[in-house]
Amino acid sequence: MRILGIETSCDETGIAIYDDAKGLLSETLYSQVKLHADYGGVVPELASRDHVRKIIPLIKQAIAAAGLTKDDIDGVAYTAGPGLVGALMVGACAGRALAFAWGKPAIAVNHMEGHLLAPMLEDTPPSFPFIALLVSGGHTQLVQVDGIGQYQLLGESIDDAAGEAFDKTAKLMGLDYPGGPLLSKLAEEGQTGRYKFPRPMCDRPGLDFSFSGLKTFAANTIAAEPEEAKADIARAFEDAVVDTLAIKCRRAFEQTGINRLVVAGGVSANRHLRKQLAEVMSKRGGEVFYPRPEFCTDNGAMIAFAGMQRLLAGEAQGLSVKTTPRWPLDQLTVPGQ
């Protein structure tokens, strides 16, 4: 069985074809980073229009790269949420229309479930149960995963997500958009320990996150210190975010007794975070799993894979097109139930 996956939740148009026997057959991605750079962030209307321009050529490209025709596609999966409503509608309408025209089933996929399952695309996928740390520009969550569709939210950010805090702090430093990766690169030049930043919400019980105050602390530090201190400030900021994520992961292991970790989302590509979590899991004798770097950010492969799991269980959508800009993971059902 072969599934065409369509991802358009924000500023990247991702298309992929997944085969349940052969794995990933093709994958293509178009990023709108240059389009939004002049504005310092994603402009929803521009994002939607660019998806409209790119989606059909990319679908044709993915089908051709896989050496297939439309007749070889058994289903169309598309991101239905969470995300920007206009961007979601482009992918959902295109996916539903193609499925109808081709006489194939259409599958609405939760974007975060796609991220959560992305490590399943690797040669050594994690087995259930595991704890998932989902860290991106829009989400920071800890989820207990007992199986596909069996998700228990353990904790989440009550304000800024980790990736959002990275980007906003980078902007305060005058770095280009998207600033998160540039801040991490600058942090590599900084000296650890010169500045001490708080580890938010780590002095109280629970697994929720809060990074808005940390961003404000960084803003005040940047304003008070000279330009040449920026690398050290970046180092202190990144250390604080990574330490906070690691502390909360350890608490999740202790709370659940699970010793297997999946890390996904754009921030999962952060090298400092990977190093620290590897040390945490090594001390615990546990395992940590990541998607490959190109699948840390939004992509069509994770949507095709997630859609495949639900189609195999008999799920498919009707002719109506529905998107859900806010769609919590714990509202999902077990496929086939």
Side-chain angles (χ1 to χ4, degrees):
M1 183 180 288
R2 303 181 186 95
I3 299 294
L4 172 70
I6 300 173
E7 157 59 24
T8 62
S9 65
C10 189
D11 60 342
E12 287 162 320
T13 313
I15 310 294
I17 298 175
Y18 185 84
D19 186 300
D20 65 336
K22 298 180 181 179
L24 190 63
L25 300 182
S26 67
E27 189 267 338
T28 183
L29 181 73
Y30 174 77
S31 174
Q32 300 176 1
V33 165
K34 291 182 179 179
L35 174 67
H36 301 289
D38 290 342
Y39 304 95
V42 176
V43 181
E45 178 64 22
L46 295 181
S48 302
R49 292 182 182 186
D50 216 42
H51 286 309
V52 171
R53 284 191 289 266
K54 299 295 183 181
I55 191 167
I56 297 303
L58 289 175
I59 289 172
K60 291 180 177 178
Q61 180 181 333
I63 293 175
L68 305 175
T69 70
K70 62 181 179 60
D71 296 326
D72 299 311
I73 303 299
D74 298 298
V76 181
Y78 57 87
T79 302
L84 301 175
V85 64
L88 291 170
M89 284 298 295
V90 175
C93 289
R96 177 62 266 186
L98 286 175
F100 177 75
W102 295 346
K104 309 294 184 180
I107 310 98
V109 173
N110 181 290
H111 177 76
M112 298 311 295
E113 183 175 45
H115 275 304
L116 187 151
L117 297 178
M120 299 288 186
L121 292 162
E122 305 305 319
D123 293 335
T124 54
S127 55
F128 301 111
F130 57 78
I131 299 298
L133 173 64
L134 303 178
V135 276
S136 66
H139 298 83
T140 303
Q141 298 177 330
L142 277 168
V143 184
Q144 179 175 327
V145 181
D146 296 315
I148 295 176
Q150 300 176 38
Y151 310 131
Q152 179 184 348
L153 182 63
L154 302 176
E156 62 183 338
S157 180
I158 62 174
D159 41 53
D160 288 356
E164 183 181 6
F166 263 101
D167 287 340
K168 287 181 176 178
T169 301
K171 189 173 184 179
L172 291 169
M173 290 184 170
L175 301 177
D176 291 336
Y177 172 85
L182 296 178
L183 187 150
S184 293
K185 185 175 181 180
L186 180 63
E188 293 177 359
E189 304 172 11
Q191 177 182 341
T192 296
R194 181 177 175 188
Y195 295 96
K196 180 63 176 178
F197 278 39
R199 275 52 176 167
M201 295 187 72
C202 290
D203 59 349
R204 67 192 74 176
L207 295 174
D208 284 337
F209 302 89
S210 172
F211 294 108
S212 179
L214 185 63
K215 176 199 65 185
T216 301
F217 190 96
N220 292 335
T221 305
I222 293 166
E225 298 297 322
E227 180 76 17
E228 55 268 25
K230 282 187 177 179
D232 294 333
I233 296 172
R235 173 80 278 160
F237 175 82
E238 185 175 65
D239 285 346
V241 174
V242 168
D243 283 352
T244 299
L245 295 172
I247 289 168
K248 298 290 185 170
C249 284
R250 284 195 294 266
R251 288 185 185 177
F253 301 142
E254 293 164 2
Q255 178 177 312
T256 63
I258 297 172
N259 215 23
R260 192 177 296 113
L261 177 66
V262 160
V263 189
V267 182
S268 69
N270 182 282
R271 288 187 290 180
H272 185 37
L273 176 63
R274 290 194 174 207
K275 180 181 179 181
Q276 185 146 329
L277 291 178
E279 293 173 356
V280 169
M281 299 312 292
S282 177
K283 290 178 181 178
R284 295 185 60 87
E287 301 174 283
V288 59
F289 299 84
Y290 301 92
R292 69 194 73 170
E294 60 264 36
F295 292 162
C296 290
T297 52
D298 297 349
N299 63 87
M302 67 184 192
I303 303 304
F305 180 84
M308 174 70 75
Q309 309 314 305
R310 294 193 169 270
L311 183 59
L312 287 172
E315 285 194 20
Q317 268 59 54
L319 288 176
S320 63
V321 177
K322 179 183 178 182
T323 58
T324 310
R326 295 184 180 273
W327 190 6
L329 269 173
D330 53 5
Q331 290 183 2
L332 296 182
T333 58
V334 178
Q337 293 186 7

